Amino acid sequence: MTADPSESLRPAGRPKPGERRLQILQTLAAMLQEPSGDRVTTAALAGRLHVSEAALYRHFASKAQMFEGLIEFIENSVFGLINQITTEHEDGVAQVRQIVAMLLGFAERNPGMTRVLIGDALVTEDDRLQERINQLTDRLEVSFKQSLRRAVEQGRLPADTDVAAHAGVVLAFVQGRWLRFAKSGFKRLPAEQLDQQLDILLG
C-alpha cells in the first residue's frame, strides 16, 4: 500500500481530504508488520501519527472500519490482478500458477496485510472482519476452481480430476505459505521453491 508519489511535492500542512484516511491505513499496515506482532491499539496508532484518538475517529467510525479499509484494499488489489491474469492467459494451468505466484508476491510486498489475510491481526477484533476474510478466501477458491475446470476442458489435466479437491489443496498451499511467512517474522519468503512445488501440486 504505497502513498501517492506526488505527496512529496505538496506543501507541508494540513492533509487534503482523503489523504489523512490513506495515511491512517498505511500506518496501520506498517505497524502490523513489526516483528513484535503486538495488537495495534488506536492509542498507539494515534501516537505514531502524532494526532489524537479523536482525530482518527473523524475518518473512521471504529477500529474495525480501519481494518475493513485494509481488507477492501486487499480485495481490490488481488481480484483486479486475478481478472488481469485470466484475461491474459488462456491456459488454465498457467492461470493457476500465475494466481498463486501473485498471491505470494502480494504477501511478500505487504507483510502487514499478510497478518490480516491469515486472521492473526483480527483475533481480538470484531468477528465480522474474520467473516469478510473467510469470504475473500472462498472467492479465491472459486477462482482456482474456474481455472482448474478450464485446464480439464483443455486437456491439460486428466478428465477425472476432482476440481473442488484440487482447488482446496492449492488454496491450502497459499494459506500455508502466508502463515509460514508471518510466523517466521517475515524471514521465510512465501515464494521459496515455488516453481518446483507447483510442479508437484499441478502435476
Side-chain angles (χ1 to χ4, degrees):
M1 193 172 190
T2 56
D4 181 346
S6 63
E7 265 188 351
S8 59
L9 304 177
R10 292 173 187 147
R14 193 174 184 82
K16 291 188 176 181
E19 285 184 358
R20 177 66 81 187
R21 185 182 172 90
L22 176 61
Q23 188 181 31
I24 291 168
L25 293 180
Q26 289 172 332
T27 305
L28 174 58
M31 292 176 75
L32 288 172
Q33 70 186 54
E34 291 175 357
S36 63
D38 292 337
R39 178 173 180 262
V40 177
T41 63
T42 51
L45 180 58
R48 186 70 62 93
L49 287 161
H50 307 293
V51 299
S52 67
E53 287 185 73
L56 297 180
Y57 291 119
R58 282 198 288 273
H59 300 278
F60 295 94
S62 63
K63 187 163 69 155
Q65 197 176 83
M66 296 176 202
F67 275 104
E68 284 180 328
L70 292 184
I71 295 171
E72 184 176 347
F73 171 81
I74 294 169
E75 289 172 337
N76 291 340
S77 301
V78 163
F79 291 107
L81 289 168
I82 287 175
N83 288 338
Q84 186 177 321
I85 288 166
T86 55
T87 299
E88 292 176 356
H89 298 273
E90 288 290 323
D91 184 284
V93 171
Q95 288 179 4
V96 175
R97 295 182 77 103
Q98 289 291 321
I99 292 169
V100 170
M102 177 274 292
L103 292 171
L104 300 185
F106 178 86
E108 187 173 331
R109 290 189 302 275
N110 299 281
M113 306 287 188
T114 307
R115 290 191 57 213
V116 175
L117 282 164
I118 65 172
D120 181 48
L122 307 177
V123 172
T124 57
E125 306 300 336
D126 193 301
D127 289 345
R128 77 174 185 270
L129 297 171
Q130 184 59 57
E131 289 170 10
R132 188 159 174 183
I133 287 295
N134 293 344
Q135 290 168 2
L136 185 155
T137 53
D138 287 346
R139 287 178 64 192
L140 290 177
E141 192 166 10
V142 168
S143 295
F144 285 132
K145 284 179 185 175
Q146 290 170 342
S147 294
L148 289 165
R149 194 171 292 116
R150 186 180 188 88
V152 171
E153 291 167 356
Q154 293 169 333
R156 296 280 280 114
L157 291 174
D160 62 351
T161 297
D162 187 330
V163 169
H166 220 119
V169 170
V170 174
L171 178 62
F173 171 77
V174 170
Q175 290 177 307
R177 283 307 186 89
W178 286 341
L179 183 65
R180 188 184 71 168
F181 180 48
K183 295 303 181 184
S184 70
F186 308 116
K187 293 183 177 67
R188 296 291 301 274
L189 299 183
E192 279 180 357
Q193 295 188 305
L194 179 59
D195 287 338
Q196 300 93 314
Q197 293 184 356
L198 282 176
D199 287 343
I200 295 168
L201 273 177
L202 300 172

